[in-house]
Amino acid sequence: MNRRALRAGADRFRTGARLALASPDRLLLDFQLLFVLVYGTTCMVAAPREDSDFFITSPSSLAMTFLMLVMVQSGTFAVAQAVLAARADGTLLRLRLLPGGLQAYVVEKCLHVLAVSAVSIGALLGLAFTVGGLSSGGPAALPGALGSLVLGLLFFVALGLLLGAVLPAGGDLLSYSALAVYVPAALAGTGAAAFFPEPLRAAVRVLPFEWIANGVDAGLTGGTPLGFGGADTWNPLAAAAVTAVWTALLLAAAVPLLRRMTRRASGSAPDRTRT
């Protein structure tokens, strides 16, 4: 990705940010504040406590579950819906005609999700440390949490770009695909994989969901994350590596898939049915 695409993506992000801030109706949706409000209400009702192992009253699992839901919604489904809308109104086709236009679009989406998620995640974590019973691991652990958050958000953005590029417009497949992302993300937040049989636990940990949730958890609390313990060894470098590899692969596939999708939408794809 060249500098021109990075600058163009940053310019598109600044323009989009000004439009979003000028529209109060979009703030609740763009910043995913509904999840934050539900989390705060749940904390006040459930009164999470540090000695609890039950999901709804465990500070770590409750906070990480809602955190993962915010990241999935902001990074995957908001982006996928934006891609489908941009394809329908011709935005992606116009960008495809510009040098580095689709690369700039990818940069814009990454910057947008990182910016809006900083607000929603900051608000959620503020509640987690005040009314959610979460205990801080101190400033030394914060870089690990921040790295896991950034890598995790970029992974979910890349996944959203991929879904937007491959799913047909106007169908229900995006809604159905929500289960395939929300379920493992929520399970990762609860630390449920620690109770899975060994083969299933190993298979789940090939994916980055649990590594993201536990990386943030370990960074914030400075302890062993909920999904690891006993014979399982927590390794922050492994968490970063798994997430980074998945993110790089998805981002590398995003631009070619967007280019192919816009070519087909424009009617310029060759007719493969003719012999």
Side-chain angles (χ1 to χ4, degrees), residues 37-68:
L37 293 174
V38 173
Y39 171 71
T41 303
T42 305
C43 287
M44 288 186 287
V45 172
R49 58 187 186 276
E50 200 63 42
D51 60 346
S52 174
D53 292 326
F54 183 55
F55 154 70
I56 207 70
T57 55
S58 169
S60 287
S61 62
L62 187 61
M64 292 307 108
T65 300
F66 274 91
L67 181 73
M68 292 294 285

PDB file of all heavy atoms in Angstrom, residues 37-68:
ATOM      1  N   LEU A  37     -24.546   1.230  27.032  1.00  0.00           N
ATOM      2  CA  LEU A  37     -25.664   1.444  27.957  1.00  0.00           C
ATOM      3  C   LEU A  37     -26.169   0.122  28.532  1.00  0.00           C
ATOM      4  O   LEU A  37     -26.451   0.022  29.732  1.00  0.00           O
ATOM      5  CB  LEU A  37     -26.796   2.176  27.229  1.00  0.00           C
ATOM      6  CG  LEU A  37     -26.511   3.620  26.807  1.00  0.00           C
ATOM      7  CD1 LEU A  37     -27.666   4.170  25.977  1.00  0.00           C
ATOM      8  CD2 LEU A  37     -26.271   4.500  28.026  1.00  0.00           C
ATOM      9  N   VAL A  38     -26.267  -0.903  27.677  1.00  0.00           N
ATOM     10  CA  VAL A  38     -26.719  -2.214  28.156  1.00  0.00           C
ATOM     11  C   VAL A  38     -25.712  -2.792  29.144  1.00  0.00           C
ATOM     12  O   VAL A  38     -26.081  -3.382  30.169  1.00  0.00           O
ATOM     13  CB  VAL A  38     -26.942  -3.172  26.973  1.00  0.00           C
ATOM     14  CG1 VAL A  38     -27.250  -4.587  27.468  1.00  0.00           C
ATOM     15  CG2 VAL A  38     -28.072  -2.671  26.093  1.00  0.00           C
ATOM     16  N   TYR A  39     -24.416  -2.626  28.829  1.00  0.00           N
ATOM     17  CA  TYR A  39     -23.387  -3.125  29.741  1.00  0.00           C
ATOM     18  C   TYR A  39     -23.465  -2.421  31.094  1.00  0.00           C
ATOM     19  O   TYR A  39     -23.397  -3.072  32.148  1.00  0.00           O
ATOM     20  CB  TYR A  39     -21.999  -2.919  29.133  1.00  0.00           C
ATOM     21  CG  TYR A  39     -20.877  -3.208  30.107  1.00  0.00           C
ATOM     22  CD1 TYR A  39     -20.595  -4.515  30.513  1.00  0.00           C
ATOM     23  CD2 TYR A  39     -20.109  -2.172  30.638  1.00  0.00           C
ATOM     24  CE1 TYR A  39     -19.587  -4.781  31.410  1.00  0.00           C
ATOM     25  CE2 TYR A  39     -19.086  -2.437  31.538  1.00  0.00           C
ATOM     26  CZ  TYR A  39     -18.827  -3.737  31.926  1.00  0.00           C
ATOM     27  OH  TYR A  39     -17.830  -4.001  32.826  1.00  0.00           O
ATOM     28  N   GLY A  40     -23.596  -1.101  31.086  1.00  0.00           N
ATOM     29  CA  GLY A  40     -23.702  -0.368  32.343  1.00  0.00           C
ATOM     30  C   GLY A  40     -24.907  -0.799  33.160  1.00  0.00           C
ATOM     31  O   GLY A  40     -24.816  -0.965  34.387  1.00  0.00           O
ATOM     32  N   THR A  41     -26.033  -1.005  32.487  1.00  0.00           N
ATOM     33  CA  THR A  41     -27.239  -1.460  33.180  1.00  0.00           C
ATOM     34  C   THR A  41     -27.042  -2.854  33.771  1.00  0.00           C
ATOM     35  O   THR A  41     -27.437  -3.130  34.914  1.00  0.00           O
ATOM     36  CB  THR A  41     -28.431  -1.474  32.207  1.00  0.00           C
ATOM     37  OG1 THR A  41     -28.608  -0.178  31.642  1.00  0.00           O
ATOM     38  CG2 THR A  41     -29.704  -1.898  32.921  1.00  0.00           C
ATOM     39  N   THR A  42     -26.398  -3.742  32.988  1.00  0.00           N
ATOM     40  CA  THR A  42     -26.136  -5.099  33.477  1.00  0.00           C
ATOM     41  C   THR A  42     -25.229  -5.080  34.704  1.00  0.00           C
ATOM     42  O   THR A  42     -25.441  -5.834  35.661  1.00  0.00           O
ATOM     43  CB  THR A  42     -25.486  -5.940  32.375  1.00  0.00           C
ATOM     44  OG1 THR A  42     -26.308  -5.914  31.207  1.00  0.00           O
ATOM     45  CG2 THR A  42     -25.300  -7.386  32.833  1.00  0.00           C
ATOM     46  N   CYS A  43     -24.231  -4.211  34.693  1.00  0.00           N
ATOM     47  CA  CYS A  43     -23.325  -4.107  35.847  1.00  0.00           C
ATOM     48  C   CYS A  43     -24.066  -3.665  37.094  1.00  0.00           C
ATOM     49  O   CYS A  43     -23.845  -4.195  38.196  1.00  0.00           O
ATOM     50  CB  CYS A  43     -22.199  -3.126  35.537  1.00  0.00           C
ATOM     51  SG  CYS A  43     -20.963  -3.749  34.388  1.00  0.00           S
ATOM     52  N   MET A  44     -24.963  -2.705  36.945  1.00  0.00           N
ATOM     53  CA  MET A  44     -25.700  -2.207  38.117  1.00  0.00           C
ATOM     54  C   MET A  44     -26.664  -3.264  38.659  1.00  0.00           C
ATOM     55  O   MET A  44     -26.893  -3.346  39.865  1.00  0.00           O
ATOM     56  CB  MET A  44     -26.445  -0.930  37.750  1.00  0.00           C
ATOM     57  CG  MET A  44     -25.519   0.262  37.559  1.00  0.00           C
ATOM     58  SD  MET A  44     -26.386   1.821  37.282  1.00  0.00           S
ATOM     59  CE  MET A  44     -26.959   1.592  35.616  1.00  0.00           C
ATOM     60  N   VAL A  45     -27.209  -4.089  37.766  1.00  0.00           N
ATOM     61  CA  VAL A  45     -28.153  -5.121  38.202  1.00  0.00           C
ATOM     62  C   VAL A  45     -27.419  -6.332  38.776  1.00  0.00           C
ATOM     63  O   VAL A  45     -27.782  -6.867  39.829  1.00  0.00           O
ATOM     64  CB  VAL A  45     -29.059  -5.551  37.030  1.00  0.00           C
ATOM     65  CG1 VAL A  45     -29.905  -6.763  37.418  1.00  0.00           C
ATOM     66  CG2 VAL A  45     -29.949  -4.399  36.602  1.00  0.00           C
ATOM     67  N   ALA A  46     -26.346  -6.781  38.082  1.00  0.00           N
ATOM     68  CA  ALA A  46     -25.659  -8.013  38.471  1.00  0.00           C
ATOM     69  C   ALA A  46     -24.612  -7.804  39.552  1.00  0.00           C
ATOM     70  O   ALA A  46     -24.222  -8.754  40.225  1.00  0.00           O
ATOM     71  CB  ALA A  46     -24.995  -8.646  37.245  1.00  0.00           C
ATOM     72  N   ALA A  47     -24.117  -6.561  39.714  1.00  0.00           N
ATOM     73  CA  ALA A  47     -23.081  -6.246  40.706  1.00  0.00           C
ATOM     74  C   ALA A  47     -21.904  -7.211  40.610  1.00  0.00           C
ATOM     75  O   ALA A  47     -21.672  -8.031  41.506  1.00  0.00           O
ATOM     76  CB  ALA A  47     -23.668  -6.268  42.122  1.00  0.00           C
ATOM     77  N   PRO A  48     -21.125  -7.175  39.512  1.00  0.00           N
ATOM     78  CA  PRO A  48     -19.999  -8.112  39.338  1.00  0.00           C
ATOM     79  C   PRO A  48     -19.002  -8.018  40.485  1.00  0.00           C
ATOM     80  O   PRO A  48     -18.736  -6.932  41.010  1.00  0.00           O
ATOM     81  CB  PRO A  48     -19.357  -7.646  38.022  1.00  0.00           C
ATOM     82  CG  PRO A  48     -20.425  -6.889  37.311  1.00  0.00           C
ATOM     83  CD  PRO A  48     -21.229  -6.231  38.390  1.00  0.00           C
ATOM     84  N   ARG A  49     -18.456  -9.151  40.868  1.00  0.00           N
ATOM     85  CA  ARG A  49     -17.485  -9.186  41.954  1.00  0.00           C
ATOM     86  C   ARG A  49     -16.313 -10.078  41.541  1.00  0.00           C
ATOM     87  O   ARG A  49     -16.474 -11.041  40.791  1.00  0.00           O
ATOM     88  CB  ARG A  49     -18.119  -9.690  43.253  1.00  0.00           C
ATOM     89  CG  ARG A  49     -18.731 -11.064  43.159  1.00  0.00           C
ATOM     90  CD  ARG A  49     -19.491 -11.445  44.416  1.00  0.00           C
ATOM     91  NE  ARG A  49     -19.953 -12.813  44.386  1.00  0.00           N
ATOM     92  CZ  ARG A  49     -21.075 -13.198  43.794  1.00  0.00           C
ATOM     93  NH1 ARG A  49     -21.835 -12.322  43.182  1.00  0.00           N
ATOM     94  NH2 ARG A  49     -21.437 -14.475  43.817  1.00  0.00           N
ATOM     95  N   GLU A  50     -15.142  -9.747  42.044  1.00  0.00           N
ATOM     96  CA  GLU A  50     -13.902 -10.377  41.600  1.00  0.00           C
ATOM     97  C   GLU A  50     -13.835 -11.861  41.916  1.00  0.00           C
ATOM     98  O   GLU A  50     -13.183 -12.622  41.202  1.00  0.00           O
ATOM     99  CB  GLU A  50     -12.715  -9.666  42.255  1.00  0.00           C
ATOM    100  CG  GLU A  50     -11.397  -9.899  41.540  1.00  0.00           C
ATOM    101  CD  GLU A  50     -11.391  -9.338  40.122  1.00  0.00           C
ATOM    102  OE1 GLU A  50     -11.888  -8.227  39.904  1.00  0.00           O
ATOM    103  OE2 GLU A  50     -10.881 -10.046  39.236  1.00  0.00           O
ATOM    104  N   ASP A  51     -14.506 -12.321  42.986  1.00  0.00           N
ATOM    105  CA  ASP A  51     -14.402 -13.726  43.380  1.00  0.00           C
ATOM    106  C   ASP A  51     -15.427 -14.616  42.687  1.00  0.00           C
ATOM    107  O   ASP A  51     -15.549 -15.797  43.020  1.00  0.00           O
ATOM    108  CB  ASP A  51     -14.562 -13.857  44.899  1.00  0.00           C
ATOM    109  CG  ASP A  51     -15.913 -13.326  45.382  1.00  0.00           C
ATOM    110  OD1 ASP A  51     -16.600 -12.632  44.595  1.00  0.00           O
ATOM    111  OD2 ASP A  51     -16.271 -13.588  46.536  1.00  0.00           O
ATOM    112  N   SER A  52     -16.160 -14.078  41.715  1.00  0.00           N
ATOM    113  CA  SER A  52     -17.196 -14.860  41.045  1.00  0.00           C
ATOM    114  C   SER A  52     -16.658 -15.481  39.771  1.00  0.00           C
ATOM    115  O   SER A  52     -15.908 -14.871  39.023  1.00  0.00           O
ATOM    116  CB  SER A  52     -18.404 -13.967  40.698  1.00  0.00           C
ATOM    117  OG  SER A  52     -19.344 -14.691  39.938  1.00  0.00           O
ATOM    118  N   ASP A  53     -17.054 -16.738  39.525  1.00  0.00           N
ATOM    119  CA  ASP A  53     -16.682 -17.427  38.297  1.00  0.00           C
ATOM    120  C   ASP A  53     -17.851 -17.497  37.309  1.00  0.00           C
ATOM    121  O   ASP A  53     -17.699 -18.009  36.204  1.00  0.00           O
ATOM    122  CB  ASP A  53     -16.217 -18.859  38.594  1.00  0.00           C
ATOM    123  CG  ASP A  53     -14.905 -18.862  39.360  1.00  0.00           C
ATOM    124  OD1 ASP A  53     -14.079 -17.963  39.127  1.00  0.00           O
ATOM    125  OD2 ASP A  53     -14.723 -19.761  40.199  1.00  0.00           O
ATOM    126  N   PHE A  54     -19.013 -16.997  37.710  1.00  0.00           N
ATOM    127  CA  PHE A  54     -20.185 -17.037  36.839  1.00  0.00           C
ATOM    128  C   PHE A  54     -20.110 -15.878  35.855  1.00  0.00           C
ATOM    129  O   PHE A  54     -19.735 -14.755  36.224  1.00  0.00           O
ATOM    130  CB  PHE A  54     -21.466 -16.955  37.678  1.00  0.00           C
ATOM    131  CG  PHE A  54     -22.723 -17.048  36.871  1.00  0.00           C
ATOM    132  CD1 PHE A  54     -22.935 -18.125  36.022  1.00  0.00           C
ATOM    133  CD2 PHE A  54     -23.688 -16.065  36.940  1.00  0.00           C
ATOM    134  CE1 PHE A  54     -24.091 -18.219  35.271  1.00  0.00           C
ATOM    135  CE2 PHE A  54     -24.852 -16.145  36.191  1.00  0.00           C
ATOM    136  CZ  PHE A  54     -25.048 -17.222  35.356  1.00  0.00           C
ATOM    137  N   PHE A  55     -20.476 -16.149  34.598  1.00  0.00           N
ATOM    138  CA  PHE A  55     -20.317 -15.164  33.527  1.00  0.00           C
ATOM    139  C   PHE A  55     -20.900 -13.804  33.887  1.00  0.00           C
ATOM    140  O   PHE A  55     -20.238 -12.776  33.785  1.00  0.00           O
ATOM    141  CB  PHE A  55     -20.964 -15.705  32.242  1.00  0.00           C
ATOM    142  CG  PHE A  55     -21.409 -14.625  31.307  1.00  0.00           C
ATOM    143  CD1 PHE A  55     -20.479 -13.848  30.631  1.00  0.00           C
ATOM    144  CD2 PHE A  55     -22.753 -14.378  31.106  1.00  0.00           C
ATOM    145  CE1 PHE A  55     -20.881 -12.848  29.766  1.00  0.00           C
ATOM    146  CE2 PHE A  55     -23.173 -13.381  30.245  1.00  0.00           C
ATOM    147  CZ  PHE A  55     -22.232 -12.616  29.575  1.00  0.00           C
ATOM    148  N   ILE A  56     -22.142 -13.776  34.324  1.00  0.00           N
ATOM    149  CA  ILE A  56     -22.838 -12.506  34.480  1.00  0.00           C
ATOM    150  C   ILE A  56     -22.331 -11.710  35.680  1.00  0.00           C
ATOM    151  O   ILE A  56     -22.545 -10.507  35.775  1.00  0.00           O
ATOM    152  CB  ILE A  56     -24.365 -12.741  34.585  1.00  0.00           C
ATOM    153  CG1 ILE A  56     -25.140 -11.513  34.094  1.00  0.00           C
ATOM    154  CG2 ILE A  56     -24.766 -13.109  35.982  1.00  0.00           C
ATOM    155  CD1 ILE A  56     -25.046 -11.290  32.617  1.00  0.00           C
ATOM    156  N   THR A  57     -21.663 -12.379  36.624  1.00  0.00           N
ATOM    157  CA  THR A  57     -21.156 -11.666  37.794  1.00  0.00           C
ATOM    158  C   THR A  57     -19.632 -11.640  37.860  1.00  0.00           C
ATOM    159  O   THR A  57     -19.068 -11.188  38.846  1.00  0.00           O
ATOM    160  CB  THR A  57     -21.704 -12.303  39.088  1.00  0.00           C
ATOM    161  OG1 THR A  57     -21.401 -13.698  39.099  1.00  0.00           O
ATOM    162  CG2 THR A  57     -23.206 -12.103  39.194  1.00  0.00           C
ATOM    163  N   SER A  58     -18.965 -12.143  36.815  1.00  0.00           N
ATOM    164  CA  SER A  58     -17.514 -12.069  36.756  1.00  0.00           C
ATOM    165  C   SER A  58     -17.112 -10.791  36.027  1.00  0.00           C
ATOM    166  O   SER A  58     -17.501 -10.588  34.874  1.00  0.00           O
ATOM    167  CB  SER A  58     -16.952 -13.284  36.017  1.00  0.00           C
ATOM    168  OG  SER A  58     -15.577 -13.100  35.736  1.00  0.00           O
ATOM    169  N   PRO A  59     -16.362  -9.912  36.663  1.00  0.00           N
ATOM    170  CA  PRO A  59     -16.010  -8.639  36.015  1.00  0.00           C
ATOM    171  C   PRO A  59     -15.307  -8.815  34.680  1.00  0.00           C
ATOM    172  O   PRO A  59     -15.635  -8.131  33.707  1.00  0.00           O
ATOM    173  CB  PRO A  59     -15.095  -7.962  37.044  1.00  0.00           C
ATOM    174  CG  PRO A  59     -15.477  -8.558  38.356  1.00  0.00           C
ATOM    175  CD  PRO A  59     -15.854  -9.966  38.046  1.00  0.00           C
ATOM    176  N   SER A  60     -14.340  -9.733  34.615  1.00  0.00           N
ATOM    177  CA  SER A  60     -13.576  -9.911  33.377  1.00  0.00           C
ATOM    178  C   SER A  60     -14.438 -10.452  32.243  1.00  0.00           C
ATOM    179  O   SER A  60     -14.443  -9.907  31.132  1.00  0.00           O
ATOM    180  CB  SER A  60     -12.394 -10.848  33.605  1.00  0.00           C
ATOM    181  OG  SER A  60     -11.379 -10.219  34.350  1.00  0.00           O
ATOM    182  N   SER A  61     -15.169 -11.533  32.509  1.00  0.00           N
ATOM    183  CA  SER A  61     -15.936 -12.151  31.428  1.00  0.00           C
ATOM    184  C   SER A  61     -17.062 -11.238  30.950  1.00  0.00           C
ATOM    185  O   SER A  61     -17.333 -11.146  29.747  1.00  0.00           O
ATOM    186  CB  SER A  61     -16.509 -13.498  31.876  1.00  0.00           C
ATOM    187  OG  SER A  61     -17.406 -13.340  32.959  1.00  0.00           O
ATOM    188  N   LEU A  62     -17.699 -10.525  31.868  1.00  0.00           N
ATOM    189  CA  LEU A  62     -18.782  -9.622  31.470  1.00  0.00           C
ATOM    190  C   LEU A  62     -18.243  -8.478  30.620  1.00  0.00           C
ATOM    191  O   LEU A  62     -18.783  -8.148  29.554  1.00  0.00           O
ATOM    192  CB  LEU A  62     -19.491  -9.080  32.709  1.00  0.00           C
ATOM    193  CG  LEU A  62     -20.752  -8.247  32.456  1.00  0.00           C
ATOM    194  CD1 LEU A  62     -21.805  -9.072  31.740  1.00  0.00           C
ATOM    195  CD2 LEU A  62     -21.308  -7.718  33.777  1.00  0.00           C
ATOM    196  N   ALA A  63     -17.150  -7.865  31.060  1.00  0.00           N
ATOM    197  CA  ALA A  63     -16.566  -6.755  30.314  1.00  0.00           C
ATOM    198  C   ALA A  63     -16.030  -7.209  28.968  1.00  0.00           C
ATOM    199  O   ALA A  63     -16.237  -6.543  27.939  1.00  0.00           O
ATOM    200  CB  ALA A  63     -15.453  -6.103  31.135  1.00  0.00           C
ATOM    201  N   MET A  64     -15.334  -8.347  28.931  1.00  0.00           N
ATOM    202  CA  MET A  64     -14.754  -8.809  27.669  1.00  0.00           C
ATOM    203  C   MET A  64     -15.823  -9.243  26.674  1.00  0.00           C
ATOM    204  O   MET A  64     -15.655  -9.062  25.468  1.00  0.00           O
ATOM    205  CB  MET A  64     -13.784  -9.961  27.934  1.00  0.00           C
ATOM    206  CG  MET A  64     -12.517  -9.575  28.677  1.00  0.00           C
ATOM    207  SD  MET A  64     -11.627  -8.188  27.902  1.00  0.00           S
ATOM    208  CE  MET A  64     -11.981  -6.874  29.096  1.00  0.00           C
ATOM    209  N   THR A  65     -16.923  -9.801  27.163  1.00  0.00           N
ATOM    210  CA  THR A  65     -17.996 -10.195  26.251  1.00  0.00           C
ATOM    211  C   THR A  65     -18.589  -8.985  25.556  1.00  0.00           C
ATOM    212  O   THR A  65     -18.749  -8.957  24.328  1.00  0.00           O
ATOM    213  CB  THR A  65     -19.094 -10.962  27.003  1.00  0.00           C
ATOM    214  OG1 THR A  65     -18.533 -12.134  27.592  1.00  0.00           O
ATOM    215  CG2 THR A  65     -20.216 -11.365  26.059  1.00  0.00           C
ATOM    216  N   PHE A  66     -18.921  -7.957  26.313  1.00  0.00           N
ATOM    217  CA  PHE A  66     -19.472  -6.739  25.705  1.00  0.00           C
ATOM    218  C   PHE A  66     -18.427  -6.039  24.837  1.00  0.00           C
ATOM    219  O   PHE A  66     -18.758  -5.458  23.802  1.00  0.00           O
ATOM    220  CB  PHE A  66     -20.000  -5.798  26.782  1.00  0.00           C
ATOM    221  CG  PHE A  66     -21.406  -6.096  27.195  1.00  0.00           C
ATOM    222  CD1 PHE A  66     -21.673  -6.957  28.244  1.00  0.00           C
ATOM    223  CD2 PHE A  66     -22.474  -5.533  26.523  1.00  0.00           C
ATOM    224  CE1 PHE A  66     -22.967  -7.253  28.623  1.00  0.00           C
ATOM    225  CE2 PHE A  66     -23.783  -5.818  26.892  1.00  0.00           C
ATOM    226  CZ  PHE A  66     -24.034  -6.680  27.953  1.00  0.00           C
ATOM    227  N   LEU A  67     -17.176  -6.085  25.248  1.00  0.00           N
ATOM    228  CA  LEU A  67     -16.114  -5.493  24.443  1.00  0.00           C
ATOM    229  C   LEU A  67     -16.025  -6.176  23.082  1.00  0.00           C
ATOM    230  O   LEU A  67     -15.914  -5.505  22.037  1.00  0.00           O
ATOM    231  CB  LEU A  67     -14.781  -5.631  25.179  1.00  0.00           C
ATOM    232  CG  LEU A  67     -13.562  -5.030  24.473  1.00  0.00           C
ATOM    233  CD1 LEU A  67     -13.599  -3.514  24.535  1.00  0.00           C
ATOM    234  CD2 LEU A  67     -12.280  -5.539  25.115  1.00  0.00           C
ATOM    235  N   MET A  68     -16.079  -7.496  23.066  1.00  0.00           N
ATOM    236  CA  MET A  68     -16.023  -8.223  21.799  1.00  0.00           C
ATOM    237  C   MET A  68     -17.250  -7.920  20.934  1.00  0.00           C
ATOM    238  O   MET A  68     -17.142  -7.807  19.708  1.00  0.00           O
ATOM    239  CB  MET A  68     -15.914  -9.725  22.066  1.00  0.00           C
ATOM    240  CG  MET A  68     -14.595 -10.163  22.686  1.00  0.00           C
ATOM    241  SD  MET A  68     -13.186  -9.928  21.582  1.00  0.00           S
ATOM    242  CE  MET A  68     -13.436 -11.281  20.423  1.00  0.00           C
TER     243      MET A  68
END
